[in-house]
Amino acid sequence: MSAVGLGLEAQLVLAVVAAIVATWAPPRLRSTLAGVVSAAVGLTGAVTGVLVLAGSRGRIEVPTSLPLGDVGLDPSPLGGFFMVVAGAVGAVAAVYAIGYAEGPAASRAAWASLPVFLAAMQLVPAAADAVSFLLLWELMALASTSLVLTDHRDRAEVRQAALWYAALTQLSFVLLLLGFAVLVVDAGGVGFDLIGSLDPGSTSASVAFVLLVAGFATKAGIVPVHVWLPRAHPAAPSHVSAVMSAAMVKMGVYGALLVCLRLLPTGPAWWGLLLLAFGAVSAVYGILQASVTSDLKRLLAYSTTENVGLMFLALGTALLLRSVGVGGPADSAVAACLLLVASHAAFKCTLFLAAGSVLHGSGERDLDRMGGLGARMPVTALAFGVGALGAAALPVTAGFMAEWALLQSLIHGARPEDRLVAVAMPVAVAVVALTAGLALLTFVKAYGIAFLARPRSEGAAAAHEDGAWTMRPAMLVSAAAVLALGLVPGLAAEAVTRAGGVAGVGRVGGAGLELSGVGAQLDPIALSVMAALLAVPVLFVSRAAARRRPRRQVELAWGCGGVRVSPRMQYTATSYAEPLARVFDDALRPERDIEVTHTSESRYLVERVAFRQRLDDVVEERSYRPVVRLADRVGLAARRLQNGSIHRYLGYSFVALVAVLVLVAL
Amino acid sequence: MNAEAAVLALAQVVAMVALSPLLVGMMRQVRARLEGRAGAGALQPWRDLRKLLAKETLQAAGTSWVSVAGPTVLIVSSLLVCAMTPLLGTVTFTSVPDDLFVVVSVLLIGTVAVALVGLDAGTAFGGMGSSRHMTIAALVEPTVLVSVYALSIPVGSSVLSQIVEARLDDPASVASPVSLLALLALAVAVVAETGRLPVDNPSTHLELTMVHEAMVLESSGRDLAWLELGSWLRLGALLGLLSTLLMPWGIATELSAGGLLLASGALVAKIAITGALLAGVEVFLAKLRLFRIPELLAGSFVLAFLAVTASYLVVQA
Amino acid sequence: MALSLVRLLRLIWTTGRVAEPAPPAPEPTPGRPSALAGSVQIRHVDAGSCNGCEIELGAAFGPVYDAERYGARLVASPRHADVVLVTGVVTRNMLEPLRRTVEATPQPRLVVAVGDCARNCGVFAGPYGVAGAVPDAVDVDLEVPGCPPEPQVIIEALRKVTGR
């Protein structure tokens, strides 16, 4: 039994143990015990992934009583990479949940579902054949649905959210089932190695590709099948949102990478174009919606759509460039996709955990009611700030390195000879640039409105750092990962090379990243050293000036000398994004309503003005609601078949029997 | 190689710190003369800076460390941009190339720092300036990246030094349609990024028309000094980059005392000409309504995109 | 456009320099902070004037007298200012805002009262809406008499602060 096999078995065993502990432990100890074992599940997954990346392989077969055979687990390096990501996020979130979970989130069902969810999610990348993959996929979906439903008694939106989530995750399962079915029929067996020998140029391969990518895109949160994300993530408890956003949607990206790199490699150019197009649309739409919303968790959920869009864009670029024979930039694009995966996992985990801490500390989820939290919750502010820097792709964070790699591969992939590539690359560069700019605005808004200036509500004014002792270390570890991946990305270069099966990604300098395929290199530590050296004279002059005239604290900020100054005069998140909402109002279609109440004495004097703005998801409004309404109508019409009369039902069975007999006879 | 790059970077930083206030003073002087006034002289920004460093710095209750650290972050990011862009020479560090995305990201750190300072003030004006500033920054980014991308296609690399060197080697490429379209788009982007007319009026007193000024209304003393110097350095570095791309002659490809001297003189001439042109054009322009600015930026993006397609046509021909 | 490019260019060319030559510099006021030499930012506050002083102030900063050439510049925020220039008598509603404006100005700072109304209520002494003159509200460092004071007088006072 190799180390990897041991690790896989350990994950299964620990998950079962954690579920048992969650069911049988007394309520006082339940969170701590179940949390510790769940964290162990995550850690084991991460360690197993590291072992796989280091080169060792192992296979285990888990016997099931299903007629489809045993569950075979044999992680490839790509799978190992995703196991590391999922395991690390799971471990951090479980530790956080020990302190965070209370009320319904600390119930037996919630604590039993979490380790099952973590184990299933970590083992999906380890699956070695289509059946195991689908079984683990469905287990992951069921466990996560149960977790999303945690607060269903307290909030009505949770039930709606779980319904949408369940519907779309089952849609993804059905699409994957159909796609894998096509491939299995062609290959004559369910093993991934067998499927990998198929010809990607055939029609059935293309059909399978579209089905599989559609299924994975649904799980990943690509437009137009992203509508579950902005509902499910705010509905779930914060640690569950963190795992779902930072790790579970990555399984969709893993699936896409699996299909493109292992199952059906060297496909035609239109495959890459399809991925690129949907990725680009998701990236822009996601960040646009994130920039105009004032609900913090909804903002983070839409930001996930944006980042997954960028990952699909990177993958699509890689496929496109490979199909025209440009190997170097294609390899860099795959590396960029993997770096985006790792960096997004790190900063999204940090952001969601910090958002949970804000929710616990202040009771607020709406940015318009926050403010001044930086002074009241310094650790949370630090973690959120680092996460926001990473999400905005600013130096020196993980997000910056990942976007740098993506832009390098796009810029060096320019091929004037090939018309398709010649149009796609500049459009992709423009999309990445627009996304980066809007992400800047979004996260300046999120950090600035929530943590700076003065509180806009009593909840924010009374905010305090949560006393639970596991929340702070978990957030800080996550934030440290964001900075670590940004400062020493070269250490991850080896992992990325093995995982993506690409060449040309290496270390340079101290721990800088080198993309020799495109001839680009960057050492973030050197950049930071330069900045530090340039800061020395500035600080010197500042210190000298401060000695002559020290900084003086004053009571009031300059607000034109007005005598009635209140924190409500500050900008809110809604007003911050208003110019952007106006510029993009065709894409966002905000509903604005202004109600003016005049005084009773005269129509020329105004007593009250009420402003209301609704920003619904456009895709949901235009595409899903008509379908849902149609389904409603069909259902209502079908009700007429069910009128309760036993005679009618007997008649149905009789007609059905006669029809079957006739058909069999024919 | 790295030692030479360090010397060059230091020289660029010192040169830009000395020249940027003079540039702003000269631009104000050009404007004054065109308006028939005598003007305060090109040295006035230096006097203002010296006075600001001697003034008291106030900090209002409710503001945080962001108001203290933000100005320092802005000026350090501006100094870093001056050190990295090819202004005096094209010798770069091996592991920190002056790649397009890196330079733009460092600029954006400064943008974000000022935006957070505006939000931290806790006033309506601060938030308003911050919101407008970030909206414009978001809409400018596609233009900046696509226009430099257009310039990078004939060269095969997005490292700014290599682009400048390639233009030095092939003078015809400076006047090609690709280059002119891309530089025109980049010029509009620089105007938007540095807050000059018609995007923003740097000398307005009407708060509702402010974009950049509104974010610094609360800063005083050395905070204000760093914010002012930081934005002057950005203006100088971006104008220097634009003029170097337009007229690369004079720049030093390898380090030597004579080469540096020549390059310094060339840089002074280049930013003087560009600055005077900008100031002169500003006299004829009125500030655009905030919601007309996206139209301007979309137009500049179209120019940049045209430059990219033109570069493909040129290569195919 | 009201004035086309060509017409504007011709106007600039034919107008030439409008600024009058600078009169000899006055002595700097004793006690003038040395930090303010050569560079003075001014925040103007209208505490309740009839706008006569504002017109003269506008002329002082206009092309003919051009106060900017002596290093004085108008700014929007008192945090950026060294001098708070107050015109008009202090009305009830402007008493507190004027005090807050002066307090919001970092040291070293000066308060300059321009016009007779600012100095001693001028013609507006006594009405119910008037809280007093500027010295009653804040400490005044320099006074400029006149109703309204001519631009040259205002500029001379400013030059006493800048020393240029």
Side-chain angles (χ1 to χ4, degrees):
Chain A
M1 173 72 69
S2 69
V4 172
L6 216 63
L8 294 168
E9 285 209 358
Q11 287 175 59
L12 289 166
V13 166
L14 281 170
V16 172
V17 166
I20 294 176
V21 163
T23 326
W24 288 104
R28 269 181 314 116
L29 295 173
R30 189 185 300 146
S31 287
T32 319
L33 290 174
V36 166
V37 187
S38 303
V41 171
L43 267 171
T44 320
V47 167
T48 315
V50 169
L51 286 171
V52 173
L53 279 173
S56 54
R57 302 292 293 262
R59 187 190 176 91
I60 65 169
E61 304 265 345
V62 180
T64 63
S65 53
L66 292 171
L68 299 160
D70 299 338
V71 169
L73 299 173
D74 181 6
S76 65
L78 182 67
F81 187 87
F82 280 85
M83 282 177 80
V84 173
V85 168
V89 170
V92 169
V95 168
Y96 179 87
I98 297 176
Y100 178 80
E102 56 186 26
S107 67
R108 271 189 278 252
W111 271 117
S113 313
L114 185 68
V116 171
F117 176 42
L118 291 182
M121 185 179 63
Q122 281 157 212
L123 293 175
V124 161
D129 57 81
V131 171
S132 330
F133 189 93
L134 286 171
L135 275 172
L136 288 163
W137 188 269
E138 190 60 12
L139 188 61
M140 179 176 78
L142 288 172
S144 55
T145 313
S146 149
L147 283 167
V148 167
L149 273 171
T150 311
D151 279 330
H152 71 275
R153 259 187 271 266
D154 300 332
R155 295 186 285 152
E157 61 179 34
V158 172
R159 298 189 280 272
Q160 277 287 317
L163 202 60
W164 279 89
Y165 175 57
L168 277 150
T169 209
Q170 294 312 312
L171 175 69
S172 104
F173 180 72
V174 165
L175 288 167
L176 289 181
L177 189 60
L178 289 173
F180 274 127
V182 170
L183 284 178
V184 162
V185 159
D186 263 356
V190 293
F192 282 158
D193 295 322
L194 210 57
I195 297 177
S197 56
L198 284 175
D199 165 32
S202 59
T203 339
S204 62
S206 292
V207 168
F209 175 82
V210 172
L211 285 168
L212 285 173
V213 160
F216 287 125
T218 310
K219 176 59 83 179
I222 294 285
V223 169
V225 282
H226 69 286
V227 290
W228 61 272
L229 258 177
R231 285 173 179 272
H233 285 182
S238 306
H239 58 281
V240 174
S241 308
V243 178
M244 281 171 66
S245 206
M248 194 188 71
V249 302
K250 301 299 183 313
M251 294 310 139
V253 181
Y254 166 71
L257 278 162
L258 180 71
V259 169
C260 296
L261 295 180
R262 205 172 145 199
L263 295 184
L264 300 167
T266 67
W270 67 266
W271 288 10
L273 206 58
L274 188 74
L275 284 173
L276 205 153
F278 277 100
V281 170
S282 305
V284 176
Y285 184 78
I287 198 62
L288 202 52
Q289 287 283 1
S291 58
V292 295
T293 183
S294 66
D295 180 338
L296 184 56
K297 287 201 175 178
R298 205 174 135 99
L299 187 153
L300 295 175
Y302 271 120
S303 161
T304 300
T305 300
E306 173 230 342
N307 280 286
V308 173
L310 284 178
M311 290 171 213
F312 270 61
L313 191 146
L315 187 56
T317 308
L319 285 188
L320 191 63
L321 291 177
R322 270 208 190 139
S323 69
V324 294
V326 184
D331 282 351
S332 302
V334 172
C337 182
L338 290 169
L339 282 171
L340 282 166
V341 167
S343 77
H344 177 245
F347 68 70
K348 198 40 71 71
C349 183
T350 317
L351 287 170
F352 263 113
L353 295 184
S357 172
V358 165
L359 185 59
H360 253 215
S362 70
E364 298 289 351
R365 220 178 73 192
D366 190 355
L367 279 171
D368 287 348
R369 299 178 59 82
M370 293 187 203
L373 295 178
R376 294 161 176 79
M377 305 174 73
V379 178
T380 309
L382 176 66
F384 195 95
V386 172
L389 271 178
L394 286 173
V396 285
T397 58
F400 169 63
M401 289 312 298
E403 281 215 22
W404 173 81
L406 177 60
L407 271 168
Q408 288 303 315
S409 46
L410 285 173
I411 287 180
H412 290 266
R415 281 294 167 278
E417 314 88 50
D418 192 294
R419 253 187 302 238
L420 195 61
V421 173
V423 171
M425 290 301 106
V427 171
V429 169
V431 164
V432 171
L434 184 61
T435 328
L438 290 174
L440 268 178
L441 188 150
T442 308
F443 285 99
V444 165
K445 178 184 89 167
Y447 182 76
I449 302 278
F451 292 96
L452 299 181
R454 289 166 294 155
R456 295 175 179 79
S457 69
E458 280 133 31
H464 57 280
E465 197 77 61
D466 201 299
W469 58 274
T470 63
M471 285 167 65
R472 269 169 281 180
M475 284 193 289
L476 289 174
V477 163
S478 218
V482 175
L483 285 174
L485 277 172
L487 277 172
V488 288
L491 298 176
E494 188 67 33
V496 166
T497 315
R498 292 253 177 86
V502 294
V505 180
R507 258 173 81 157
V508 74
L513 192 62
E514 179 181 22
L515 299 170
S516 43
V518 296
Q521 55 176 290
L522 184 60
D523 188 356
I525 296 188
L527 189 66
S528 319
V529 166
M530 270 174 77
L533 286 173
L534 286 170
V536 166
V538 173
L539 291 171
F540 186 69
V541 175
S542 284
R543 189 71 68 79
R547 242 178 280 135
R548 273 204 299 155
R549 287 220 184 255
R551 194 173 285 265
R552 181 160 66 96
Q553 304 285 334
V554 291
E555 258 305 308
L556 283 175
W558 170 246
C560 279
V563 291
R564 289 173 309 199
V565 194
S566 96
R568 288 295 303 170
M569 289 181 182
Q570 294 169 140
Y571 251 50
T572 60
T574 313
S575 41
Y576 201 88
E578 197 263 349
L580 200 70
R582 231 194 254 209
V583 171
F584 286 103
D585 68 352
D586 283 331
L588 291 168
R589 304 213 182 260
E591 268 171 42
R592 293 211 176 100
D593 188 33
I594 301 181
E595 208 181 276
V596 180
T597 319
H598 299 277
T599 58
S600 49
E601 298 96 31
S602 159
R603 257 213 88 232
Y604 294 106
L605 298 172
V606 171
E607 189 184 314
R608 242 168 65 96
V609 183
F611 171 82
R612 218 157 295 151
Q613 177 172 278
R614 257 178 80 96
L615 275 163
D616 285 329
D617 192 313
V618 174
V619 174
E620 197 186 296
E621 287 294 306
R622 296 299 161 99
S623 324
Y624 285 81
R625 296 222 178 272
V627 169
V628 169
R629 270 194 291 259
L630 182 66
D632 251 347
R633 263 185 298 174
V634 167
L636 272 173
R639 279 245 296 261
R640 276 190 244 127
L641 291 171
Q642 251 187 321
N643 67 343
S645 151
I646 259 272
H647 305 288
R648 193 180 279 205
Y649 295 162
L650 286 173
Y652 289 153
S653 344
F654 180 67
V655 167
L657 186 60
V658 167
V660 166
L661 287 173
V662 165
L663 275 170
V664 165
L666 282 178
Chain B
M1 181 67 157
N2 273 335
E4 289 185 358
V7 170
L8 183 66
L10 191 62
Q12 281 182 183
V13 166
V14 168
M16 289 317 293
V17 168
L19 286 176
S20 298
L22 288 176
L23 169 71
V24 171
M26 181 215 61
M27 286 171 73
R28 287 188 193 158
Q29 201 57 13
V30 166
R31 198 194 165 94
R33 284 299 159 90
L34 286 175
E35 288 174 358
R37 293 185 283 123
L43 288 172
Q44 187 63 25
W46 268 118
R47 287 187 212 114
D48 292 342
L49 213 56
R50 181 193 41 76
K51 186 229 25 211
L52 279 174
L53 284 170
K55 289 269 292 188
E56 200 182 22
T57 312
L58 299 177
Q59 177 131 11
T63 57
S64 66
W65 60 274
V66 171
S67 294
V68 180
T72 312
V73 170
L74 172 69
I75 191 170
V76 171
S77 77
S78 306
L79 289 171
L80 199 52
V81 168
C82 290
M84 287 173 69
T85 39
L87 296 168
L88 287 177
T90 56
V91 184
T92 53
F93 295 96
T94 38
S95 55
V96 188
D98 50 357
D99 177 74
L100 160 68
F101 186 62
V102 178
V103 171
V104 168
S105 297
V106 173
L107 267 175
L108 287 174
I109 287 194
T111 307
V112 165
V114 185
L116 286 176
V117 165
L119 272 175
D120 197 37
T123 58
F125 295 139
M128 182 190 80
S130 183
S131 154
R132 293 174 168 188
H133 176 80
M134 290 309 299
T135 309
I136 295 176
L139 296 175
V140 154
E141 245 204 272
T143 307
V144 170
L145 286 181
V146 173
S147 61
V148 182
Y149 175 57
L151 289 172
S152 79
I153 293 177
V155 180
S157 155
S158 65
V159 174
L160 291 170
S161 304
Q162 290 182 16
I163 296 179
V164 171
E165 273 183 2
R167 291 162 82 81
L168 258 180
D169 291 333
D170 179 20
S173 67
V174 174
S176 69
V178 176
S179 155
L180 292 174
L181 280 172
L183 286 175
L184 188 56
L186 197 60
V188 176
V190 164
V191 162
E193 186 72 47
T194 53
R196 312 290 310 180
L197 286 165
V199 172
D200 180 21
N201 185 353
S203 55
T204 183
H205 298 165
L206 304 170
E207 282 89 351
L208 291 179
T209 64
M210 290 177 178
V211 175
H212 177 81
E213 269 293 305
M215 294 183 285
V216 305
L217 285 177
E218 181 60 26
S219 309
S220 53
R222 51 185 172 278
D223 291 341
L224 188 62
W226 295 142
L227 286 168
E228 293 284 284
L229 185 58
S231 61
W232 295 341
L233 283 169
R234 279 162 70 115
L235 178 65
L238 286 173
L239 281 183
L241 176 65
L242 200 58
S243 52
T244 307
L245 287 171
L246 193 56
M247 303 173 281
W249 307 286
I251 207 165
T253 40
E254 40 185 51
L255 206 60
S256 68
L260 266 185
L261 225 55
L262 179 66
S264 311
L267 183 67
V268 168
K270 285 179 210 170
I271 59 177
I273 296 175
T274 331
L277 254 164
L278 187 61
V281 167
E282 281 189 353
V283 171
F284 297 90
L285 289 174
K287 190 183 101 71
L288 274 178
R289 246 197 84 186
L290 179 71
F291 295 113
R292 302 297 295 277
I293 294 176
E295 295 171 18
L296 174 71
L297 296 175
S300 71
F301 175 73
V302 166
L303 282 175
F305 207 82
L306 276 176
V308 172
T309 45
S311 77
Y312 288 142
L313 291 173
V314 164
V315 172
Q316 275 186 333
Chain C
M1 236 203 298
L3 221 57
S4 79
L5 185 65
V6 173
R7 285 179 63 197
L8 193 53
L9 274 169
R10 203 176 316 148
L11 181 67
I12 294 176
W13 182 258
T14 50
T15 313
R17 178 173 158 141
V18 173
E20 288 182 355
E27 281 300 310
T29 46
R32 187 271 316 257
S34 58
L36 301 182
S39 161
V40 164
Q41 259 78 292
I42 300 167
R43 211 301 182 175
H44 165 242
V45 177
D46 175 356
S49 87
C50 69
N51 278 349
C53 294
E54 273 76 10
I55 295 180
E56 301 302 319
L57 201 58
F61 281 91
V64 175
Y65 297 98
D66 196 17
E68 263 195 50
R69 72 178 124 174
Y70 309 114
R73 203 178 76 213
L74 288 171
V75 286
S77 166
R79 295 263 198 257
H80 301 180
D82 314 302
V83 163
V84 180
L85 197 119
V86 191
T87 51
V89 73
V90 181
T91 52
R92 284 182 197 271
N93 283 346
M94 280 303 289
L95 179 62
E96 196 51 43
L98 175 62
R99 287 201 177 124
R100 287 189 181 191
T101 308
V102 174
E103 267 165 35
T105 316
Q107 296 282 6
R109 65 172 178 236
L110 296 170
V111 177
V112 176
V114 169
D116 287 338
C117 291
R119 288 171 60 225
N120 53 23
C121 293
V123 296
F124 291 117
Y128 61 87
V130 171
V134 177
D136 304 331
V138 293
D139 294 328
V140 174
D141 299 291
L142 199 55
E143 293 185 350
V144 182
C147 182
E150 289 179 1
Q152 303 101 299
V153 180
I154 300 178
I155 289 190
E156 201 187 307
L158 291 176
R159 289 178 81 181
K160 284 188 191 156
V161 180
T162 69
R164 273 181 78 186

